[in-house]
């Protein structure tokens, strides 16, 4: 396209230059000729007064020498025969025209130009009396007829070449401005097709190409979002399998000894490794590109009561003391119910996996005006490096962990403008604090800076033997 524009511009400019330069050059040539002949006419007219007074040779030669043409021997005077001159014609100067040309001018007294060797001759008739007409001949050489024409033509040629070069340069720049965005768009489309999803096109150039770039970038963002959502879905679904896997592992641990028990435990371990592989593969394919949306929201108290009803059964089997607080009334949060359930299952599953049997844990809910804080605490050994535990792909450096539990929790919190922090709990172990903003714009961050100052709500103890019952009133 770029060279096509250059060729079109070159052809059009050349035609325009020729259309104007050729006629203008011819006009300049004709003007130079007219200027030279007009000057010859003025010099021929300069001796007219002398001819009207006297036709004596001496007087005429003196008058001729006073002109430029006469001084350069380019002028001649032809006087017809008369009684005063003894019936003989008189010629002063060098004649260059033929006798027939002179006779024609004498018969038809009108100025004319005749081509002669080396130039042209102007024949100017002048009446010397009522019957006789003298002819003044002025020779104009070719260099006078074309004086300044070559210079003018060179100037026209230079201007024409400058116009052609300028038009080609402008067409090339316009072509680059049009072609370069198109080339970038084509290259980006090829890179996107090869799997480089981070490629984007600068939104510049002509309006049409800018619109195409905007559409391409939007399409690429949509592709990245769809792929990221697909990977997150695969990872989240795989991670949610950990809850039933935890149940299977605990049940397998109680089977005792024997070939069937060993095979069951080995199968559970193999299944856990496969789930970890699926999660790790989905996470490492590409980093997350979009935050988890808030969905339609849910009642945090209801979700916590439901999930604690499930985990309290496992807690009873392992002799764990479970406490919950702050779930006595509805607490609306801008998080979808399945997402909050997955986050709670991930945290509680970590408690069961990474603390000894009999370790107590608790779940506290603190409802503020602009934020909801969920605390999951345990009385276990704690986490030596909380920052490393929050890093994706690592959960405190423990074997067999992908770190996705805390990553799921973090995404849920960040979707509301909140965050997740790990610290020491009042029970002596680990405390995971989930800060959920109630303002969809992510407001209320002062609450996050204030941190947890404790709760004045009474905690409910779930003793062993009351499996799955969370119907005690909590104030």
């Amino acid at each position: 396209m770029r060279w096509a524009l250059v060729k079109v511009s070159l052809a059009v400019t050349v035609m325009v230059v020729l259309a104007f330069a050729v006629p203008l050059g011819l006009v300049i040539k004709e003007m130079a000729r007219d200027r030279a002949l007009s000057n010859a006419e003025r010099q021929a007219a300069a001796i007219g007064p002398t001819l009207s007074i006297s036709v004596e040779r001496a007087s005429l030669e003196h008058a001729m020498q006073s002109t430029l043409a006469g001084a350069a021997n380019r002028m001649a005077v032809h006087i017809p025969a008369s009684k005063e001159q003894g019936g003989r014609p008189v010629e002063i100067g060098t004649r260059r025209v033929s006798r027939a040309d002179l006779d024609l001018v004498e018969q038809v007294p009108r100025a004319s130009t005749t081509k002669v060797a080396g130039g042209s001759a102007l024949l100017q008739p002048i009446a010397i009396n009522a019957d006789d007409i003298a002819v003044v001949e002025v020779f104009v050489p070719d260099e006078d007829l074309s004086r300044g024409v070559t210079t003018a033509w060179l100037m026209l040629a230079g201007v024409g070449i400058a116009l052609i070069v300028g038009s080609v340069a402008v067409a090339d720049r316009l072509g680059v401005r049009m072609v370069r965005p198109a080339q970038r768009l084509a290259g980006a489309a090829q890179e996107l097709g090869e799997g480089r999803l981070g490629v984007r096109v600068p939104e510049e150039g002509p309006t049409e190409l800018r619109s195409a770039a905007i559409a391409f970038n939007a399409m690429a963002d949509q592709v990245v979002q769809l792929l990221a959502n697909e990977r997150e879905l695969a990872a989240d679904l795989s991670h949610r399998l950990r809850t039933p896997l935890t149940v299977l592992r605990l049940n397998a641990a109680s089977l005792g000894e024997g070939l069937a028990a060993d095979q069951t435990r080995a199968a559970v371990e193999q299944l856990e490794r496969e789930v970890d592989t699926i999660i790790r593969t989905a996470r490492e394919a590409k980093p997350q590109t979009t935050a988890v949306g808030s969905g339609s929201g849910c009642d945090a108290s209801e979700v916590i009561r439901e999930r604690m009803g499930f985990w309290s059964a496992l807690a009873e089997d392992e002799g764990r003391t479970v406490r919950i607080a702050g779930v006595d009334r509805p607490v609306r949060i801008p998080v979808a119910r399945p997402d909050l359930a997955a986050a709670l299952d991930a945290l509680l599953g970590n408690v069961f996996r990474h603390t000894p049997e009999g370790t107590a844990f608790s779940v506290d809910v603190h409802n503020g005006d602009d934020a909801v804080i969920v605390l999951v605490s345990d009385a276990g050994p704690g986490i030596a490096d909380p920052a490393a535990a929050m890093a994706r792909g690592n959960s405190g450096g423990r074997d067999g962990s992908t770190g996705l539990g805390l990553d799921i929790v973090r995404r849920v919190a960040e979707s509301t403008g909140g965050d997740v922090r790990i610290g020491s709990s009042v029970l002596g172990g680990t405390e995971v604090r989930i800060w959920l903003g109630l303002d969809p714009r992510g407001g209320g961050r002062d609450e996050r800076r204030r941190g947890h100052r404790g709760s004045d709500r009474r905690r409910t103890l779930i003793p062993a033997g009351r499996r799955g019952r969370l119907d005690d009133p909590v104030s």
Side-chain angles (χ1 to χ4, degrees):
M1 181 184 296
R2 175 181 177 183
W3 294 117
L5 289 175
V6 170
K7 292 177 182 178
V8 170
S9 177
L10 177 62
V12 172
T13 307
V14 168
M15 287 189 295
V16 171
V17 168
L18 292 177
F20 283 92
V22 172
L24 186 57
L26 296 177
V27 169
I28 291 174
K29 181 179 180 181
E30 190 63 27
M31 289 176 61
R33 176 181 175 84
D34 292 342
R35 182 177 63 248
L37 294 177
S38 297
N39 185 40
E41 289 180 359
R42 287 195 300 271
Q43 296 189 53
I47 65 172
T50 303
L51 282 172
S52 63
I53 297 173
S54 174
V55 292
E56 294 180 358
R57 180 180 292 272
S59 299
L60 294 176
E61 288 179 352
H62 179 73
M64 289 172 55
Q65 290 299 321
S66 64
T67 63
L68 294 176
N73 197 24
R74 295 178 182 176
M75 180 180 290
V77 178
H78 306 281
I79 303 173
S82 64
K83 294 179 180 182
E84 297 178 359
Q85 301 174 5
R88 296 191 304 271
V90 178
E91 289 187 358
I92 303 174
T94 304
R95 178 168 63 88
R96 292 179 174 83
V97 299
S98 65
R99 187 69 232 181
D101 292 331
L102 291 174
D103 293 341
L104 181 61
V105 174
E106 291 175 359
Q107 294 174 7
V108 181
R110 185 174 59 187
S112 65
T113 303
T114 302
K115 186 67 178 178
V116 297
S120 298
L122 172 68
L123 300 178
Q124 180 69 42
I126 299 177
I128 56 178
N129 53 49
D131 298 325
D132 299 326
I133 295 178
V135 178
V136 179
E137 175 189 343
V138 180
F139 173 68
V140 182
D142 289 335
E143 57 267 20
D144 288 350
L145 292 174
S146 60
R147 189 182 303 278
V149 174
T150 302
T151 302
W153 282 4
L154 290 176
M155 293 181 62
L156 286 175
V159 172
I161 293 174
L163 288 176
I164 293 173
V165 173
S167 66
V168 170
V170 172
D172 181 69
R173 291 299 90 195
L174 291 176
V176 169
R177 185 172 179 266
M178 294 179 62
V179 172
R180 187 169 295 168
Q183 291 176 340
R184 284 197 295 261
L185 184 60
Q190 183 177 0
E191 292 183 13
L192 185 65
E194 293 173 355
R196 292 190 283 272
L197 302 181
V199 63
R200 295 296 182 272
V201 181
E203 298 172 0
E204 58 186 19
T207 304
E208 295 77 7
L209 292 177
R210 191 183 304 116
S211 300
I214 294 174
F216 175 85
N217 292 338
M219 178 193 69
D221 292 338
Q222 186 68 16
V223 169
V224 171
Q225 182 179 359
L226 292 176
L227 292 178
N229 291 342
E230 180 180 356
R231 285 189 293 269
E232 296 295 347
L233 179 61
D236 290 350
L237 291 178
S238 301
H239 193 278
R240 291 176 187 182
L241 292 176
R242 291 192 170 205
T243 299
L245 281 177
T246 301
V247 178
L248 291 176
R249 183 172 59 83
L250 294 175
N251 291 338
S254 63
L255 293 178
E257 303 296 333
L259 179 60
D262 293 340
Q263 291 177 345
T264 301
R265 283 189 287 269
V268 171
E269 292 178 358
Q270 177 66 24
L271 185 57
E272 283 186 318
R273 286 193 295 270
E274 295 296 334
V275 170
D276 287 343
T277 300
I278 294 173
I279 298 173
R280 188 178 297 106
T281 301
R283 289 296 190 187
E284 292 177 353
K286 278 286 183 179
Q288 178 185 340
T289 57
T290 56
V292 178
S294 60
S296 58
C298 68
D299 181 2
S301 298
E302 180 182 357
V303 176
I304 292 174
R305 288 196 300 267
E306 176 186 345
R307 299 318 300 159
M308 289 299 293
F310 171 82
W311 289 101
S312 62
L314 302 179
E316 180 183 353
D317 290 340
E318 294 190 356
R320 297 176 184 267
T321 300
V322 182
R323 288 188 248 181
I324 61 173
V327 296
D328 55 321
R329 55 184 178 181
V331 178
R332 298 294 303 180
I333 59 175
V335 177
R337 183 186 185 93
D339 293 337
L340 180 60
L344 289 172
D345 288 342
L347 293 179
L348 295 176
N350 286 337
V351 172
F352 279 84
R353 292 189 63 186
H354 303 301
T355 60
E357 294 186 4
T359 301
F361 65 93
S362 65
V363 177
D364 299 301
V365 179
H366 302 271
N367 186 14
D369 295 334
D370 54 5
V372 172
I373 298 178
V374 179
L375 299 175
V376 178
S377 308
D378 63 64
I383 297 177
D385 191 352
M390 287 299 300
R392 177 175 297 165
N394 180 29
S395 208
R398 289 185 287 272
D399 296 336
S401 174
T402 63
L404 297 184
L406 292 179
D407 190 50
I408 292 176
V409 176
R410 178 171 58 189
R411 288 190 295 107
V412 170
E414 290 178 351
S415 69
T416 66
D419 64 3
V420 178
R421 294 188 181 181
I422 299 178
S424 300
S425 71
V426 295
L427 300 179
T430 302
E431 177 185 87
V432 180
R433 187 199 68 174
I434 310 174
W435 187 89
L436 303 172
L438 299 181
D439 187 349
R441 297 168 297 180
R445 295 186 182 271
D446 292 341
E447 178 68 23
R448 192 170 66 183
R449 288 193 292 267
R450 287 195 296 268
H452 173 52
R453 298 182 179 177
S455 173
D456 58 356
R457 295 182 176 88
R458 180 168 53 87
R459 295 182 176 176
T460 301
L461 177 64
I462 304 179
R466 296 180 59 184
R467 179 175 302 179
R469 296 182 57 192
L470 298 175
D471 51 358
D472 284 352
V474 180
S475 58

